Coordinates of all heavy atoms in Angstrom, one line a residue:
E23 N 2.2 9.2 11.0 CA 3.0 8.3 10.2 C 2.3 7.0 9.9 O 2.4 6.4 8.7 CB 4.4 8.1 10.9 CG 5.2 9.3 11.0 CD 5.6 9.9 9.7 OE1 5.9 9.1 8.7 OE2 5.7 11.1 9.6
F24 N 1.7 6.4 10.9 CA 1.0 5.1 10.7 C -0.1 5.2 9.7 O -0.3 4.4 8.8 CB 0.5 4.5 12.0 CG 1.5 4.1 12.9 CD1 1.4 4.4 14.3 CD2 2.6 3.4 12.5 CE1 2.4 3.9 15.2 CE2 3.6 3.0 13.4 CZ 3.5 3.2 14.8
D25 N -0.9 6.3 9.7 CA -2.0 6.6 8.8 C -1.5 6.7 7.3 O -2.1 6.2 6.4 CB -2.8 7.8 9.2 CG -3.9 8.1 8.3 OD1 -4.9 7.4 8.4 OD2 -3.8 9.0 7.4
A26 N -0.4 7.4 7.2 CA 0.2 7.6 5.9 C 0.6 6.3 5.3 O 0.4 6.0 4.1 CB 1.4 8.6 5.9
S27 N 1.2 5.4 6.1 CA 1.6 4.1 5.6 C 0.4 3.2 5.3 O 0.3 2.5 4.3 CB 2.4 3.3 6.7 OG 3.7 4.0 6.8
R28 N -0.7 3.4 6.1 CA -1.9 2.6 5.8 C -2.5 3.0 4.5 O -2.9 2.2 3.7 CB -2.9 2.8 6.9 CG -4.2 2.1 6.8 CD -5.3 2.6 7.8 NE -5.6 4.0 7.6 CZ -6.4 4.5 6.7 NH1 -6.9 3.7 5.8 NH2 -6.6 5.8 6.7
R29 N -2.6 4.3 4.3 CA -3.1 4.8 3.0 C -2.3 4.4 1.8 O -2.8 4.0 0.8 CB -3.1 6.4 3.0 CG -4.1 7.0 4.0 CD -3.9 8.5 4.1 NE -4.6 9.1 5.1 CZ -5.8 9.7 5.0 NH1 -6.4 9.7 3.8 NH2 -6.4 10.2 6.0
A30 N -0.9 4.4 2.0 CA 0.0 4.0 0.9 C -0.2 2.5 0.5 O -0.4 2.2 -0.7 CB 1.4 4.2 1.4
L31 N -0.2 1.6 1.5 CA -0.4 0.2 1.2 C -1.8 -0.1 0.7 O -1.9 -0.9 -0.3 CB -0.2 -0.6 2.5 CG 1.3 -0.6 3.1 CD1 1.3 -1.2 4.5 CD2 2.2 -1.4 2.2
A32 N -2.8 0.5 1.2 CA -4.1 0.3 0.7 C -4.3 0.7 -0.8 O -4.8 0.0 -1.6 CB -5.2 1.0 1.5
W33 N -3.7 1.9 -1.1 CA -3.8 2.4 -2.5 C -3.0 1.5 -3.4 O -3.4 1.2 -4.5 CB -3.2 3.8 -2.5 CG -3.2 4.3 -3.9 CD1 -4.2 4.8 -4.7 CD2 -2.0 4.3 -4.8 NE1 -3.8 5.2 -5.9 CE2 -2.4 4.9 -6.0 CE3 -0.7 4.0 -4.6 CZ2 -1.6 5.0 -7.1 CZ3 0.2 4.1 -5.7 CH2 -0.2 4.7 -6.9
M34 N -1.8 1.1 -3.0 CA -1.0 0.2 -3.9 C -1.6 -1.1 -4.2 O -1.6 -1.6 -5.3 CB 0.4 0.0 -3.3 CG 1.4 1.2 -3.3 SD 3.1 0.8 -2.9 CE 3.0 0.3 -1.2
D35 N -2.3 -1.6 -3.2 CA -3.1 -2.9 -3.4 C -4.2 -2.7 -4.4 O -4.4 -3.5 -5.3 CB -3.6 -3.4 -2.1 CG -2.5 -4.1 -1.3 OD1 -1.4 -4.5 -1.9 OD2 -2.7 -4.3 -0.1
S36 N -5.0 -1.6 -4.1 CA -6.2 -1.4 -4.9 C -5.8 -1.0 -6.4 O -6.6 -1.4 -7.3 CB -7.0 -0.2 -4.4 OG -6.3 1.0 -4.4
R37 N -4.7 -0.5 -6.6 CA -4.2 -0.1 -7.9 C -3.4 -1.1 -8.6 O -3.1 -1.0 -9.8 CB -3.3 1.2 -7.8 CG -3.9 2.5 -8.2 CD -4.8 2.6 -9.4 NE -4.6 3.8 -10.1 CZ -4.3 3.9 -11.4 NH1 -4.1 2.8 -12.1 NH2 -4.2 5.0 -12.0
G38 N -3.1 -2.2 -7.9 CA -2.3 -3.3 -8.5 C -0.9 -2.9 -8.7 O -0.2 -3.5 -9.6
I39 N -0.4 -2.0 -7.9 CA 1.0 -1.6 -8.0 C 2.0 -2.7 -7.6 O 3.1 -2.8 -8.1 CB 1.3 -0.3 -7.2 CG1 0.3 0.8 -7.6 CG2 2.7 0.2 -7.3 CD1 0.5 1.3 -9.0
V40 N 1.6 -3.4 -6.6 CA 2.4 -4.5 -6.0 C 1.7 -5.9 -6.0 O 0.5 -5.9 -5.9 CB 2.9 -4.1 -4.6 CG1 3.8 -2.9 -4.6 CG2 1.6 -3.9 -3.7
T41 N 2.5 -6.9 -6.1 CA 2.0 -8.2 -5.9 C 2.0 -8.5 -4.4 O 2.4 -7.7 -3.6 CB 3.0 -9.2 -6.6 OG1 4.2 -9.2 -5.9 CG2 3.1 -8.9 -8.1
A42 N 1.5 -9.7 -4.1 CA 1.4 -10.1 -2.7 C 2.8 -10.1 -2.0 O 2.9 -9.6 -0.9 CB 0.7 -11.4 -2.5
Q43 N 3.7 -10.6 -2.7 CA 5.1 -10.7 -2.2 C 5.7 -9.2 -2.1 O 6.3 -8.9 -1.1 CB 6.0 -11.5 -3.1 CG 7.4 -11.6 -2.6 CD 8.3 -12.4 -3.5 OE1 7.9 -12.8 -4.7 NE2 9.5 -12.8 -3.1
E44 N 5.4 -8.4 -3.1 CA 6.0 -7.0 -3.0 C 5.2 -6.2 -1.9 O 5.8 -5.3 -1.3 CB 5.7 -6.4 -4.4 CG 6.6 -7.0 -5.5 CD 6.2 -6.6 -6.9 OE1 5.1 -6.1 -7.1 OE2 7.0 -6.8 -7.8
H45 N 4.0 -6.5 -1.7 CA 3.2 -5.9 -0.6 C 3.9 -6.1 0.7 O 4.0 -5.3 1.6 CB 1.8 -6.4 -0.6 CG 1.0 -5.9 0.6 ND1 0.2 -4.7 0.6 CD2 0.9 -6.4 1.9 CE1 -0.3 -4.5 1.8 NE2 0.1 -5.5 2.6
A46 N 4.3 -7.4 0.9 CA 5.0 -7.8 2.2 C 6.3 -7.0 2.4 O 6.6 -6.6 3.5 CB 5.2 -9.3 2.2

């Protein structure tokens, strides 16, 4: 579960899906 979340957050950041506030 932790790895899936790590992959999700890293991908969303690299793709510009979320802003810094949305990342939080």
Side-chain angles (χ1 to χ4, degrees):
E23 293 299 323
F24 290 139
D25 180 76
S27 292
R28 179 190 61 78
R29 291 174 191 263
L31 292 169
W33 175 80
M34 286 193 294
D35 283 343
S36 66
R37 257 320 216 124
I39 302 295
V40 292
T41 63
Q43 182 181 11
E44 291 166 347
H45 172 94

